[in-house]
Amino acid sequence: PAAAHIDTMAAPNDMTEWRTVTVVAGRAFEEHVAVDTPGACVAFAFEVSGGANAVFSIEHRTASHATSLALLPASSYSEHSGEVLLPGRGVTVLTWHNPSGWLFSSDIEVSYAVHCRFLPAAAVAASASTAPRTPRKSKPQR
């Protein structure tokens, strides 16, 4: 991971804080969210400065790190927000990859907020069978 700097600013709604990270061309930045209680949901929002794109994905690794599950497959976005219901205990990894290569290298700045909340047991049971594991809002880049 290559982060030259991280700035913090106030975040809206239930997001605790916004951070801005610089991701060097061809590198990735990861935010890890550890969850040791079942029934968790991770909400996120981000924006890439200057209309640039980042390849964003979300993966959940079990507590034993024996298996991992792609909750949101990698796709290119200039901004994105949503939430994912976590399948259980473990570590959820949000990854922003700067797809710029060495020939046209340029760093990108990603401003993001991540919030983990715990749902009541009844809500988890009801949403487990109906809720998709993809975010509510998205703006994929073509």
Side-chain angles (χ1 to χ4, degrees):
H5 70 278
I6 296 178
D7 296 325
T8 304
M9 59 184 134
N13 304 328
D14 59 352
M15 303 290 188
T16 55
E17 64 182 24
W18 280 89
R19 293 179 177 213
T20 300
V21 61
T22 299
V23 184
V24 176
R27 301 294 298 258
F29 171 75
E30 295 181 344
E31 179 73 28
H32 293 241
V33 179
V35 178
D36 43 356
T37 305
C41 176
V42 170
F44 64 90
F46 74 88
E47 162 180 294
V48 183
S49 66
N53 290 334
V55 176
F56 177 69
S57 63
I58 302 176
E59 173 185 70
H60 184 78
R61 299 175 188 156
T62 59
S64 64
H65 295 284
T67 61
S68 64
L69 173 66
L71 300 178
L72 180 64
S75 193
S76 183
Y77 301 95
S78 60
E79 62 182 32
H80 197 22
S81 65
E83 59 185 20
V84 290
L85 180 62
L86 305 182
R89 294 179 175 94
V91 176
T92 299
V93 181
L94 295 86
T95 303
W96 292 267
H97 178 260
N98 181 351
S100 298
W102 64 271
L103 184 58
F104 298 105
S105 66
S106 61
D107 298 349
I108 59 172
E109 285 194 358
V110 178
S111 296
Y112 72 96
V114 176
H115 174 72
C116 184
R117 63 188 174 97
F118 298 95
L119 305 172
V124 172
S127 64
S129 62
T130 61
R133 295 196 191 269
T134 55
R136 294 178 294 186
K137 299 185 288 183
S138 63
K139 294 184 181 182
Q141 299 300 309
R142 293 180 178 86

